[in-house]
Amino acid sequence: MARRRHAQRRDHARALALLLCGAAPLARQHVRRDVGKPDAAIAHLQSAALLAERLHQSDICRAVVTAAFDLAGRLFASGRLWQACLLLDLLDLEDQRQFSLLTNLLRRTGQFERLAELLDEEMHNRPFDPFLASARFTLAREMLDWECLARHRTLMASPDSGFAAALLGREPAASRVLWAEDEAMAHRPVQETRWPKEARPPPRYAIRPADQPLRIGYLHDQFDDARSADTIMAVLAQHDRSRFEICLFDDGRLPQRPEPQLSGHRRISIASLDDAAAASEIHRHGIDILVDLKGPTLGGRRCLVDHLKVPLKLAWPVFPGPLPRMPEGLGCDYRITDAVLLSEEGRRLASHHHCVLPECALPQGKRMPVELADRATTVTAGDPLPEEALVIAGFAPAYHLNSATLALWASVITAIPEALLWLQRPHALPGRNIIQALAGHGICPSRILHADPMPHEAHLTRLGLADLALDTLPANTPQAADFLFAGVPVLTLSGQTAAGRQTASLLQALGLPDLIFARSSQVVEAAATLVHDPFRLLALRQRIERARVRSPAFDAERLCRHLEDAYRMMAERLRAGLAPTDIQVPPRPASSQSRQLQS
């Protein structure tokens, strides 16, 4: 029986190998029932690789590597990371696209030591390869490898030097946004700026006449994500369907779940389509305005967006960093922003135009309060919170942290001797490095509590257990909005880039500018003053509760109306034959949602 199974596996491997090199069309029928099953396809690729190596068939080896890369990429995009890791040994490390997939897989699965060893080995052979160095510094930010990050700071002190400039040009935009402290550095060329010199902007088809509803397309790969459902989706659900037709172009690989609130919007999956086919699908639906909700992040479709023929292309600031500079006519025509996020320097350096909303442009969505929590009964998933302790929260992914942020948090905890620091539990290696850094500032591990992952709704509830929350810089933590939604004051330093002013934008919209500070010492002083004055802290939490209902910050309907006004203003310019320019959207009255909640 075992011999028969071995013979079957060998036959499958031979058939797959023949299929991959195109030598036997009949082989396609032989494995058709298996190639759609990842486990079987992985096993066959591994067997085919062994067979090709034994038979010294280099053409089959190349075909196996190509197929392994394709399958690993599909598994990665669908969230099946550990299955994709089974194919890593088949990838070609000399191919930058395959090497990038390998590094992202090891990062996302927390295999930091293995990835660091691999990168260090490659850099030993190619010490001045900017692609490898960029990958190593990106990994250092996730590992919180302080020594490596110090080398990066030294290099970036002279950004125009040969190797530093080359390194910056190979850095992903999503990495740059985490450490760039000013707009000049943030707007330097990134990896996504690289573009063939012969690239030409595609011709745009005409926009619909003014007497017809505008057709808006939203491109995203996380429509079903719990956070997206609470923020972006809550805004899109408010669209006036008599004036706007909405199409959701879903690039996500995960199974869709029903969204009753979006039942009136068409949802088209483009996950299995290449860029050309996806563009044809978007064009087939006659989209007037395409809104890219992903931007230059992992899973974004830059080539697709840049070559669309739709009349107008926009970026909504889910990605907080600058959009990569593109040749004229490529990329987005407008970026949706607000007066707090957009600085004069950022406006001057951008290669696109800005549509400035009158209030916070960051989608927050939900307005109804979360369930009130107390430490005695609320499940926190992680270290229990002592009932009487002062809890200062610092919730952020490890890659948002740096030595300056941890030094500030340590100063706050030092100024409040009875306080505990509540952190998200990271992977083991960055977790150890965080503890080590805080210990260097005199914070012992017994004063640090960790929170484990929880479902989104339960997570929002437990956030209310904190007394105060601290922000990160130069890129603000995405958790700041969640703490404010849960009624917890967030103290933030206002940064010089849009990524460092996201929390400030939200606090301004909530009418809480007194929680925005210019210096670290002010944050320490404010935290100590608040926690030592219970009545003042209670009054502040009550202000947040009222602001959450009365201010526009969590008013999904009002934000949607401002977006619709922006779309109409852009369309009117285009119909009049005018080129895009910066647009200022006037404020609207309070929405019906706000009036209902206030009453």
Side-chain angles (χ1 to χ4, degrees):
M1 183 65 71
R3 181 172 295 182
R4 183 181 301 172
R5 285 198 299 268
H6 175 76
Q8 289 173 342
R9 286 196 297 269
R10 182 195 61 201
D11 291 343
H12 276 280
R14 286 182 181 276
L16 184 60
L18 291 170
L19 167 65
L20 293 172
C21 66
L26 290 178
R28 182 172 287 104
Q29 296 180 7
H30 189 62
V31 295
R32 181 178 292 168
R33 64 180 181 275
D34 291 328
V35 292
K37 303 174 183 177
D39 290 334
I42 291 169
H44 292 157
L45 283 169
Q46 291 170 334
S47 300
L50 288 172
L51 176 67
E53 184 178 355
R54 289 172 183 169
L55 297 178
H56 304 289
Q57 296 290 324
S58 59
D59 54 344
I60 297 179
C61 281
R62 287 192 296 270
V64 169
V65 168
T66 301
F69 174 55
D70 179 69
L71 179 57
R74 291 177 182 276
L75 291 171
F76 178 82
S78 66
R80 290 175 284 186
L81 304 181
W82 288 103
Q83 277 186 305
C85 284
L86 297 175
L87 294 163
L88 292 184
D89 291 338
L90 302 182
L91 299 184
D92 179 6
L93 300 187
E94 299 297 323
D95 184 295
Q96 288 192 358
R97 292 171 60 229
Q98 297 190 38
F99 194 86
S100 293
L101 176 62
L102 180 145
T103 57
N104 283 321
L105 269 170
L106 293 178
R107 283 172 47 226
R108 291 282 296 276
T109 52
Q111 300 181 69
F112 297 124
E113 291 94 335
R114 178 182 173 186
L115 179 54
E117 182 181 355
L118 174 65
L119 287 171
D120 290 342
E121 181 180 334
E122 292 292 319
M123 289 184 67
H124 179 75
N125 300 323
R126 292 178 283 166
F128 296 106
D129 186 317
F131 173 75
L132 287 175
S134 175
R136 184 62 180 91
F137 287 131
T138 298
L139 174 63
R141 207 161 300 283
E142 297 213 43
M143 294 170 56
L144 298 179
D145 181 340
W146 305 119
E147 183 180 341
C148 188
L149 291 174
R151 292 201 301 272
H152 183 263
R153 283 194 299 273
T154 301
L155 267 174
M156 293 303 109
S158 303
D160 294 319
S161 66
F163 183 62
L167 179 61
L168 287 168
R170 300 312 300 265
E171 181 178 42
S175 296
R176 176 78 53 81
V177 73
L178 296 172
W179 65 268
E181 297 182 355
D182 57 64
E183 293 284 12
M185 179 62 77
H187 279 82
R188 282 178 174 267
V190 291
Q191 177 179 289
E192 291 84 355
T193 310
R194 297 163 63 88
W195 200 256
K197 292 182 179 179
E198 65 275 10
R200 296 290 181 270
R204 309 284 185 97
Y205 55 76
I207 198 166
R208 275 178 173 70
D211 60 350
Q212 295 182 20
L214 279 172
R215 188 165 292 174
I216 313 296
Y218 290 96
L219 174 63
H220 199 27
D221 68 343
Q222 294 180 343
F223 283 120
D224 292 316
D225 177 72
R227 178 178 288 275
S228 294
D230 279 352
T231 54
I232 297 171
M233 298 299 97
V235 175
L236 303 192
Q238 305 297 324
H239 267 302
D240 181 350
R241 292 169 190 172
S242 66
R243 298 185 178 184
F244 296 88
E245 298 175 0
I246 307 301
C247 294
L248 307 179
F249 293 98
D250 189 350
D251 197 35
R253 308 272 180 167
L254 295 175
Q256 297 179 2
R257 66 179 185 185
E259 289 284 359
Q261 64 175 348
L262 297 178
S263 58
H265 297 334
R266 278 181 289 181
R267 183 166 173 165
I268 302 101
S269 176
I270 60 170
S272 62
L273 305 180
D274 61 21
D275 289 339
S280 296
E281 183 68 11
I282 292 172
H283 297 154
R284 188 176 69 83
H285 284 82
I287 298 302
D288 296 303
I289 300 176
L290 191 284
V291 184
D292 181 14
L293 296 173
K294 190 68 176 174
T297 59
L298 190 64
R301 301 284 292 266
R302 176 178 69 104
C303 293
L304 166 61
V305 174
D306 290 344
H307 287 93
L308 285 174
K309 300 177 182 179
V310 299
L312 288 168
K313 294 180 282 188
L314 320 180
W316 194 6
V318 175
F319 172 69
L323 299 178
R325 183 175 291 275
M326 292 284 107
E328 186 175 355
L330 291 174
C332 289
D333 304 301
Y334 293 94
R335 179 171 190 157
I336 299 171
T337 185
D338 62 52
V340 178
L341 294 173
L342 180 61
S343 67
E344 284 305 314
E345 183 76 352
R347 188 193 298 268
R348 182 181 67 82
L349 292 171
S351 60
H352 52 270
H353 296 284
H354 296 90
C355 175
V356 184
L357 301 188
E359 293 143 0
C360 181
L362 302 171
Q364 303 305 330
K366 291 179 66 172
R367 287 294 303 269
M368 301 308 295
V370 297
E371 181 183 349
L372 293 176
D374 65 84
R375 293 179 189 170
T377 60
T378 301
V379 177
T380 58
D383 299 329
L385 303 183
E387 287 191 46
E388 302 303 323
L390 287 170
V391 176
I392 311 294
F395 275 39
Y399 50 80
H400 271 258
L401 302 178
N402 52 57
S403 55
T405 292
L406 291 178
L408 171 58
W409 291 4
S411 297
V412 171
I413 298 302
T414 300
I416 310 169
E418 66 274 34
L420 301 175
L421 183 60
W422 191 25
L423 305 176
Q424 282 182 294
R425 193 186 304 278
H427 287 291
L429 180 57
R432 291 195 298 271
N433 291 337
I434 291 171
I435 297 296
Q436 178 188 16
L438 291 171
H441 293 286
I443 307 301
C444 64
S446 62
R447 297 186 66 189
I448 300 171
L449 303 173
H450 287 99
D452 292 328
M454 290 184 74
H456 189 60
E457 289 294 332
H459 172 65
L460 287 178
T461 298
R462 72 171 170 183
L463 295 186
L465 301 176
D467 294 290
L468 281 178
L470 302 175
D471 204 1
T472 57
L473 205 68
N476 295 154
T477 173
Q479 298 273 6
D482 292 338
F483 275 106
L484 288 166
F485 183 71
V488 178
V490 178
L491 310 184
T492 187
L493 283 170
S494 184
Q496 296 185 45
T497 66
R501 291 194 296 272
Q502 295 181 99
T503 305
S505 174
L506 183 55
L507 288 170
Q508 287 282 9
L510 285 166
L512 298 165
D514 47 318
L515 299 183
I516 306 169
F517 302 95
R519 297 188 302 275
S520 298
S521 59
Q522 295 174 328
V523 174
V524 176
E525 182 181 354
T529 301
L530 282 170
V531 299
H532 289 140
D533 188 344
F535 295 105
R536 185 173 178 179
L537 183 57
L538 176 61
L540 179 56
R541 294 186 75 123
Q542 290 172 342
R543 279 179 62 198
I544 294 173
E545 180 63 32
R546 290 193 299 270
R548 189 174 59 186
V549 174
R550 298 175 182 175
S551 79
F554 292 100
D555 190 338
E557 182 185 350
R558 182 176 172 85
L559 175 55
C560 187
R561 295 294 165 265
H562 284 146
L563 286 174
E564 292 175 345
D565 290 344
Y567 298 158
R568 281 193 289 265
M569 293 171 71
M570 296 174 196
E572 287 168 5
R573 284 192 62 84
L574 189 59
R575 293 189 189 105
L578 300 175
T581 189
D582 286 356
I583 290 176
Q584 179 71 54
V585 179
R588 279 204 171 213
S591 70
S592 59
Q593 183 185 31
S594 270
R595 290 193 295 271
Q596 266 186 344
L597 288 168
Q598 290 180 36
S599 62

